[in-house]
Amino acid sequence: MMLPTHGHPARVVVFGFATVILVGTVLLMLPVSAENGQLTPWVTAVFTSTSAVCVTGLIVVDTPGHWSTFGEVVIMGLIQAGGLGIMTLASLLGLVVSRRLRLRVQRSAQTETKTLDLGEVRRVVLGVISLSLIMEAATAVVLTMRMVHAYGYSWAHGSYLGVFHAISAFNNAGFALYPDSLMRYATDGWICIPIVVAFVLGGLGFPVLFEIARHLWARGYRRWSLHARITLLGYGMFALAGTVLITGLEWSNPATLGDFGTDGRLLVGMFHGLTPRTAGFNTLDVGEMHPATLLVTDVLMFVGGGSAGTAGGIKVTTFALLAFVILAEARGEPQVHIAGRRISNEVVRQALTVVLVGVALVFLATLVLLMLTPFGLDAVLFESVSAFGTVGLSTGITGELPPLGELLLVVLMFTGRLGPITLASALALRERGRRYDLPEERPIVG
């Protein structure tokens, strides 16, 4: 069995995720999935199913209040399927693209096959599944122990809570079994820190985690791939900037950080500096944040996390590439160089395309929601970016949107989750050489 590199593999990804969402919608509409034993409206079911499969976390009904235990298990299964599928398919698409591109510069018989052999596919799939289960199990153990010993839950219920939130955290889903998300645990480091570790590792992406595990004791940072270095550096810089800015902006806000002590403010500020990357849990009332904080969070949500991971957004690698493009242009350099490597013009164009398409989607969604709802720009823009970046944070307006607005967010979540992956891979697979060039002309820029 071979995985072809020709054609449009991105279509298979889109169709597969749409099928899972459809199955989830049907299951969530069943009376057994609702706490009251009645049929759930299809708009609510499709919204929740899409949010779970696309590991977003936006909700239009209270998760523990509306859904029965069966419904919650369905949501947990959809989150797991979506997270594993995203990491696996994104990693496989990366292999497909890299193998296809190598064909143009290598002529050996080994690479002329234009296929990925079964060993490569098996290695990626088993690696993603093993890594996910190990991280989720470790997080679930810590959360379960804390739930049982500190909050008096039974072992059965504590284990259920631990497993659900561990799966939701590692897959950057943001679903919680409490009406206030994790606000009741805002200053509990034994709850918040394991969840932070889980969603950060899930958001870095399988290729980076695999490289960390392989080169953990390597003495030279230069031995790491350029992708891993860019991802770790970019993720770290945004994490630090987000933590400092959000903590500083909300430090004296009595509705958010103002009521905590210094230790509590630092812990909660760190949590909210990292959760927009795109975990979606909140330990503060997001709707009470300053407009400046919401804008900072918008940027963090739009950029997102690492490629081939459970985080959404345009990805930190894409943002970093454009930053180096600007730096090269400011220096007057004809080519973009990063860490001793030259970046091809094709990769630069792909990064620009992903960013501009993302901006266009957020703009259009924000414009439509402003026309459909009475909410202000801050809240509507926040909701649109959260849906596109598959974050799940909200100022509290999601459940008050009209059905058309909910369906718009469904499209935005689906496009935001699969769009950057499929668009980037499709652009790379469509690259072709030209046998001629046209006369050059330079329009005025700026």
Side-chain angles (χ1 to χ4, degrees):
M1 180 181 177
M2 298 292 185
L3 183 66
T5 61
H6 58 277
H8 300 278
R11 293 178 182 174
V12 180
V13 178
V14 173
F15 178 78
F17 273 84
T19 302
V20 176
I21 290 173
L22 178 60
V23 172
T25 300
V26 173
L27 291 175
L28 291 176
M29 288 180 63
L30 299 175
V32 70
S33 295
E35 194 70 48
N36 58 11
Q38 299 179 359
L39 284 172
T40 296
W42 72 270
V43 176
T44 300
V46 73
F47 188 99
T48 305
S49 180
T50 304
S51 184
V53 174
C54 296
V55 292
T56 304
L58 286 174
I59 57 174
V60 291
V61 292
D62 178 41
T63 300
H66 179 85
W67 304 110
S68 65
T69 301
F70 178 82
E72 293 169 358
V73 171
V74 169
I75 292 173
M76 183 166 55
L78 294 175
I79 293 171
Q80 186 73 85
L84 287 175
I86 288 164
M87 292 185 73
T88 303
L89 292 173
S91 299
L92 288 175
L93 280 174
L95 284 176
V96 170
V97 170
S98 62
R99 175 61 62 85
R100 175 70 175 271
L101 297 182
R102 285 201 301 268
L103 294 176
R104 299 209 307 268
V105 296
Q106 296 182 8
R107 292 292 181 263
S108 65
Q110 180 183 3
T111 58
E112 283 294 336
T113 59
K114 296 187 179 182
T115 58
L116 290 175
D117 60 49
L118 188 59
E120 287 180 294
V121 176
R122 183 183 294 113
R123 178 177 61 86
V124 171
V125 173
L126 291 180
V128 169
I129 294 176
S130 300
L131 178 68
S132 299
L133 294 180
I134 290 172
M135 287 303 307
E136 289 169 357
T139 306
V141 168
V142 177
L143 294 179
T144 299
M145 297 292 289
R146 186 63 174 173
M147 294 290 184
V148 171
H149 293 294
Y151 296 97
Y153 289 105
S154 65
W155 280 103
H157 191 49
S159 299
Y160 176 66
L161 292 173
V163 171
F164 186 97
H165 291 98
I167 291 175
S168 183
F170 182 76
N171 291 287
N172 278 241
F175 279 88
L177 294 180
Y178 301 102
D180 59 356
S181 187
L182 298 178
M183 290 178 63
R184 65 188 63 194
Y185 301 122
T187 58
D188 189 340
W190 286 100
I191 298 291
C192 293
I193 291 178
I195 286 178
V196 166
V197 172
F199 70 63
V200 166
L201 292 178
L204 287 175
F206 171 73
V208 174
L209 295 179
F210 180 76
E211 195 157 347
I212 291 175
R214 187 175 55 184
H215 297 306
L216 185 61
W217 306 111
R219 296 183 178 180
Y221 183 66
R222 293 179 179 275
R223 296 180 58 183
W224 294 36
S225 69
L226 180 61
H227 171 76
R229 283 186 276 175
I230 291 177
T231 301
L232 291 172
L233 180 61
Y235 200 104
M237 291 179 63
F238 272 99
L240 178 61
T243 299
V244 171
L245 287 173
I246 291 177
T247 303
L249 290 170
E250 296 297 318
W251 188 267
S252 301
N253 185 351
T256 55
L257 292 181
D259 287 340
F260 296 108
T262 301
D263 292 342
R265 293 180 185 182
L266 294 176
L267 176 61
V268 178
M270 179 272 295
F271 190 95
H272 273 269
L274 293 172
T275 193
R277 309 312 307 281
T278 54
F281 294 105
N282 63 282
T283 55
L284 293 176
D285 186 352
V286 177
E288 297 295 332
M289 289 182 173
H290 291 306
T293 309
L294 295 179
L295 182 59
V296 170
T297 308
D298 286 337
V299 174
L300 296 175
M301 293 191 297
F302 185 77
V303 174
S307 301
T310 54
I314 63 170
K315 306 298 187 297
V316 292
T317 47
T318 305
F319 184 88
L321 282 174
L322 295 185
F324 280 101
V325 169
I326 295 173
L327 181 61
E329 187 65 25
R331 292 176 174 175
E333 298 175 351
Q335 295 288 340
V336 180
H337 296 90
I338 305 176
R341 295 290 188 271
R342 180 175 60 85
I343 306 301
S344 68
N345 293 329
E346 290 81 3
V347 174
V348 173
R349 290 200 300 268
Q350 291 165 21
L352 284 170
T353 303
V354 169
V355 172
L356 292 178
V357 169
V359 170
L361 288 172
V362 170
F363 170 78
L364 290 175
T366 303
L367 179 62
V368 173
L369 287 177
L370 284 173
M371 293 187 294
L372 292 175
T373 68
F375 304 114
L377 177 61
D378 287 344
V380 170
L381 177 62
F382 193 93
E383 201 80 9
S384 298
V385 177
S386 180
F388 170 78
T390 65
V391 181
L393 293 174
S394 175
T395 57
I397 69 172
T398 314
E400 301 178 33
L401 296 176
L404 188 58
E406 293 180 13
L407 292 177
L408 175 63
L409 290 188
V410 166
V411 175
L412 198 58
M413 286 189 289
F414 188 81
T415 307
R417 176 66 273 180
L418 297 179
I421 299 172
T422 56
L423 178 61
S425 60
L427 289 173
L429 291 172
R430 285 175 59 88
E431 289 180 14
R432 298 182 179 91
R434 297 189 63 171
R435 299 180 181 275
Y436 65 93
D437 208 345
L438 299 175
E440 180 179 335
E441 186 168 351
R442 189 183 182 94
I444 299 174
V445 176

